[in-house]
């Protein structure tokens, strides 16, 4: 590969790194400063690291030759207080290394981080270009490796997770150019209760190591997986008869999906999933968070929602990007008819 | 038969036109999934893992190698007058005694800026030295006279390549090179 083409590659790589972000080595509106670091490979013995300066929409030719072993470009962002750095993206550039992209789709339209729920599917879109197939082509140009890692957050929210501890679940070679989609009905993040797993799955494409360069990450993306919510209604029991005022209800909801609504409703009759009822006052919540939430609500003075005697049902529901989930329900009876049994007698 | 406009308007009032999306996007109601309901689905999903259709690879997890270093841990921090920047470790070639408290002494609350912005504000006490790739890797010595010039400098010295701060290894010397040739 000529030096000119090689430099173009580097410029392309740097531009790709920056595009989604505010700029390299520039302070962003929210107080973060981005840095691009170029690491020459192999790292040993020369240990060459150089910081690259590129404006938000610019690009730059690498003054360091990429041949023969390639270089890794890392996009970091730094928060001043407390001083913390985050690795946002990496791109490996080499003479004959293929290019790969990984994107993850779920039913949640949230754009910041791909995310889904423990019971919902997701799709992984992978595109590889630049693979060669000639007999004399280097091994690293003929195939790339796809890795699937899973990592549980335990009971946490992932902010302090050590990603070096992720578990490699499977690995395969990709030997043909073009797009492909992998569909997963559920996440495989470890956890004893499958409805309550929380963590992330990461799909990465790596180049294959050869005599010139070690295996290097070409593309990577992860999806966050949050638990299914659960809830309970207390203060009323199944089959209970309400004769006077409605009892005070306590609604306990756990692991509410980060983008969702929660409400309790009442309708006449026995429970039927999908019935639309009257929303209990004080039971409606709108959640717009980045991690699951827990809430404890108290509902009182809801007599007016019941217009007659008979069987009634109160339900606790959550509406999410995946649909409406019923978390709990209780059917009970209302009997407010006053019956007076009397006799009329006369005395002579 | 022609329908009178009044009837059409009345019908629209009673049965308002719903957007197609709303009809199609009618929410799905379900009871919240439980562990028991998910176990058989996971079993099936595991059995039909789409990666099983690809050529299997084995061996070490490549993501364990060449993992990018933490930026802050792999940098030297230069701070002055409420501003901090980062340069790769070994990019600071020389620090006079009176400037040592400006290195790796970030004060909480300092603004973090890129190298070029910081250097523009601090040219009075920072000098840059352009080096080659060979010099950065310790395979070539610094140019004649530069070492003496650096020894006399009262400024802090940072190695750069085309304005970007770059790490530099000490020159390994001819003896080391001879050893490398011999071992090859």
């Amino acid at each position: 590969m000529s030096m000119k083409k090689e430099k173009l590659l580097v410029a392309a790589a740097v531009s790709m790194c920056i595009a989604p972000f505010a700029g390299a080595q520039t302070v962003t509106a929210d107080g973060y400063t981005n840095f691009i670091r170029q690491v020459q490979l192999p790292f040993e013995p020369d240990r060459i690291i150089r910081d690259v300066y590129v404006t938000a929409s610019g690009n730059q030719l690498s003054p360091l030759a990429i041949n023969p072993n390639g270089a890794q470009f890392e996009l970091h962002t730094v928060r001043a207080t407390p001083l913390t750095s985050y690795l946002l993206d990496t791109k490996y550039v080499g003479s004959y290394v293929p290019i790969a992209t990984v994107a993850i789709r779920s039913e949640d339209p949230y754009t910041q981080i791909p995310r889904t729920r423990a019971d919902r599917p997701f799709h992984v879109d992978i595109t590889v270009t630049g693979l060669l197939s000639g007999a004399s082509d280097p091994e690293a140009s003929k195939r790339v490796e796809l890795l699937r890692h899973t990592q549980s957050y335990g009971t946490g929210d992932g902010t302090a997770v050590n990603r070096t501890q992720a578990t490699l679940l499977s690995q395969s070679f990709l030997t043909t150019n073009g797009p492909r989609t992998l569909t997963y009905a559920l996440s495989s993040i470890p956890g004893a209760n499958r409805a309550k797993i929380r963590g992330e799955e990461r799909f990465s494409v790596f180049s294959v190591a050869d005599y010139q360069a070690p295996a290097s990450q070409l593309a990577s993306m992860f999806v966050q997986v949050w638990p299914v919510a659960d809830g309970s209604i207390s203060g009323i029991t199944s089959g209970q008869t309400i004769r006077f005022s409605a009892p005070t209800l306590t609604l306990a909801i756990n692991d509410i999906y980060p983008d969702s609504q929660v409400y309790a409703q009442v309708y006449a009759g026995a429970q039927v999933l999908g019935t639309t009822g009257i929303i209990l006052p004080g039971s409606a919540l709108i959640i717009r968070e980045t991690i699951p939430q827990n809430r404890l609500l108290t509902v009182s003075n809801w007599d007016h929602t019941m217009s007659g005697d008979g069987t009634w049902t109160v339900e606790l529901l959550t509406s999410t990007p995946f649909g409406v989930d019923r978390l709990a329900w209780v059917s009970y009876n209302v009997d407010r008819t006053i019956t007076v049994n009397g006799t009329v007698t006369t005395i002579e | 038969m022609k329908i009178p406009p009044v009837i059409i308007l009345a019908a629209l009032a009673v049965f308002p036109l719903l957007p197609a999306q709303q009809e199609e996007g009618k929410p799905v109601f379900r009871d919240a999934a439980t562990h028991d309901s998910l176990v058989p689905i996971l079993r099936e999903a595991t059995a039909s893992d789409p990666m099983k259709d690809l050529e299997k690879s084995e061996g070490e997890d490549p993501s364990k190698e060449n993992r990018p270093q933490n930026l802050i841990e792999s940098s030297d921090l230069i701070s002055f007058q409420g501003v901090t920047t980062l340069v790769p470790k070994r990019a600071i070639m020389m620090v006079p005694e009176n400037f040592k408290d400006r290195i790796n002494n970030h004060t909480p609350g300092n603004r973090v800026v890129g190298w070029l912005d910081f250097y523009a504000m601090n040219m009075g006490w920072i000098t840059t030295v352009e080096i080659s790739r060979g010099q950065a890797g310790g395979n070539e010595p610094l140019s004649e006279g530069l070492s003496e010039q650096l020894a006399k400098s009262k400024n802090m010295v940072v190695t750069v390549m085309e304005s970007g701060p770059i790490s530099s290894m000490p020159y390994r010397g001819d003896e080391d090179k001879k050893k490398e040739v011999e071992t090859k």
Side-chain angles (χ1 to χ4, degrees):
Chain A
M1 179 181 285
S2 70
M3 181 62 80
K4 186 179 177 186
K5 193 171 180 184
E6 174 185 307
K7 286 192 171 182
L8 283 173
L9 259 177
V10 178
V14 175
S15 298
M16 279 192 292
C17 285
I18 296 167
F21 308 102
Q25 291 201 351
T26 54
V27 181
T28 62
D30 46 3
Y32 287 83
T33 308
N34 295 338
F35 288 80
I36 292 180
R37 190 151 279 189
Q38 176 177 355
V39 180
Q40 294 294 114
L41 297 176
F43 188 56
E44 298 291 351
D46 292 354
R47 302 185 178 188
I48 296 177
I49 302 175
R50 179 178 178 272
D51 281 351
V52 182
Y53 183 89
V54 183
T55 55
S57 58
N59 55 41
Q60 185 190 100
L61 300 182
S62 167
L64 286 166
I66 300 306
N67 273 340
N69 298 325
Q72 183 155 293
F73 292 83
E74 305 165 359
L75 175 61
H76 301 262
T77 195
V78 175
R79 187 168 65 184
T81 307
L83 189 66
T84 317
S85 69
Y86 302 89
L87 177 66
L88 298 176
D89 198 4
T90 64
K91 285 282 182 289
Y92 174 66
V93 179
S95 306
Y96 47 74
V97 173
I99 294 170
T101 61
V102 180
I104 297 182
R105 288 178 287 124
S106 75
E107 296 157 296
D108 185 347
Y110 186 60
T111 54
Q112 302 300 313
I113 296 173
R115 66 184 187 192
T116 187
R117 206 173 58 182
D119 61 329
R120 305 307 302 163
F122 61 92
H123 312 275
V124 185
D125 298 322
I126 302 161
T127 303
V128 180
T129 55
L131 286 172
L132 306 175
S133 55
S136 60
D137 291 323
E139 192 60 26
S141 70
K142 293 181 178 176
R143 56 186 182 175
V144 292
E145 192 168 16
L146 173 64
L147 307 177
R148 181 187 183 195
H149 286 91
T150 59
Q151 187 164 27
S152 171
Y153 292 163
T155 55
D157 57 19
T159 50
V161 68
N162 179 358
R163 291 188 169 82
T164 63
Q165 301 300 312
T167 302
L168 178 61
L169 200 63
S170 49
Q171 55 190 132
S172 300
F173 286 121
L174 302 175
T175 55
T176 54
N177 289 315
R180 54 173 55 78
T181 295
L182 311 180
T183 295
Y184 293 91
L186 288 180
S187 168
S188 293
I189 292 168
N193 184 341
R194 299 310 308 165
K196 289 297 180 185
I197 57 169
R198 53 172 69 204
E200 61 187 45
E201 290 214 18
R202 181 177 292 275
F203 291 81
S204 312
V205 178
F206 274 76
S207 64
V208 175
D210 67 1
Y211 68 95
Q212 283 199 334
S216 299
Q217 181 178 297
L218 303 178
S220 180
M221 183 53 71
F222 70 97
V223 58
Q224 278 186 326
V225 181
W226 295 117
V228 179
D230 68 276
S232 63
I233 303 169
S234 54
I236 193 168
T237 54
S238 182
Q240 180 178 332
T241 298
I242 297 175
R243 294 191 184 282
F244 302 104
S245 59
T248 296
L249 302 180
T250 302
L251 310 175
I253 316 107
N254 304 311
D255 298 326
I256 306 169
Y257 194 72
D259 176 14
S260 61
Q261 298 163 46
V262 174
Y263 59 96
Q265 66 171 10
V266 166
Y267 54 83
Q271 65 85 18
V272 177
L273 187 64
T275 304
T276 301
I278 299 170
I279 295 176
L280 296 187
S283 73
L285 279 178
I286 296 176
I287 303 291
R288 295 283 181 273
E289 300 286 349
T290 55
I291 57 173
Q293 303 289 306
N294 297 331
R295 292 287 189 276
L296 191 65
L297 302 173
T298 302
V299 176
S300 55
N301 301 320
W302 51 286
D303 299 83
H304 64 278
T305 59
M306 296 172 287
S307 56
D309 289 353
T311 300
W312 287 78
T313 297
V314 58
E315 285 181 344
L316 179 58
L317 302 148
T318 181
S319 174
T320 69
F322 317 105
V324 180
D325 293 290
R326 184 166 65 171
L327 306 179
W329 56 267
V330 176
S331 289
Y332 55 93
N333 300 310
V334 175
D335 183 2
R336 288 165 166 162
T337 303
I338 298 172
T339 305
V340 179
N341 295 319
T343 56
V344 178
T345 58
T346 57
I347 299 172
E348 283 286 331
Chain B
M1 190 181 105
K2 193 176 179 183
I3 302 172
V6 176
I7 293 177
I8 294 173
L9 287 174
L12 284 175
V14 177
F15 304 104
L17 288 174
L18 294 172
Q21 194 180 0
Q22 191 174 328
E23 286 182 340
E24 290 170 4
K26 192 178 176 186
V28 177
F29 283 78
R30 60 173 84 83
D31 281 315
T34 61
H35 171 74
D36 291 341
S37 68
L38 294 177
V39 166
I41 302 173
L42 179 63
R43 196 177 298 130
E44 194 174 319
T46 305
S48 59
D49 180 355
M51 282 183 69
K52 287 182 179 173
D53 299 334
L54 303 170
E55 183 186 337
K56 193 177 179 185
S57 66
E58 290 175 342
E60 293 295 310
D61 180 351
S63 72
K64 301 289 185 196
E65 299 172 8
N66 299 317
R67 187 176 287 278
Q69 293 179 298
N70 179 287
L71 182 76
I72 293 170
E73 289 172 4
S74 61
S75 300
D76 280 323
L77 278 66
I78 312 172
S79 305
F80 188 55
Q81 291 187 333
V83 183
T84 294
T85 194
L86 292 79
V87 296
K89 279 200 184 295
R90 292 178 285 105
I92 299 177
M93 187 174 264
M94 193 186 77
V95 188
E97 195 64 33
N98 53 328
F99 295 148
K100 282 193 173 169
D101 62 346
R102 299 178 187 182
I103 308 303
N104 295 326
N105 193 19
H106 171 77
T107 306
N110 268 16
R111 196 159 54 94
V112 176
V113 300
W115 160 253
L116 286 186
D117 295 332
F118 187 87
Y119 179 54
M121 291 184 274
N122 295 281
M123 286 178 160
W125 62 279
I126 299 176
T127 297
T128 59
V129 175
E130 280 280 344
I131 59 171
S132 66
R133 180 190 171 123
Q135 291 167 332
N139 300 311
E140 294 172 14
L142 295 177
S143 56
E144 277 184 28
L146 181 58
S147 298
E148 291 175 15
Q149 187 187 334
L150 292 176
K152 292 176 185 173
S153 174
K154 293 179 180 176
N155 279 5
M156 187 178 86
V157 179
V158 175
T159 50
V160 298
M161 179 179 281
E162 293 192 14
S163 302
I166 187 170
S167 60
S168 61
M169 292 287 280
Y171 176 50
R172 286 198 280 267
D174 294 333
E175 290 302 316
D176 284 354
K177 280 198 164 181
K178 279 180 191 171
K179 284 179 188 173
E180 282 178 19
V181 172
E182 284 169 7
T183 52
K184 282 176 186 175

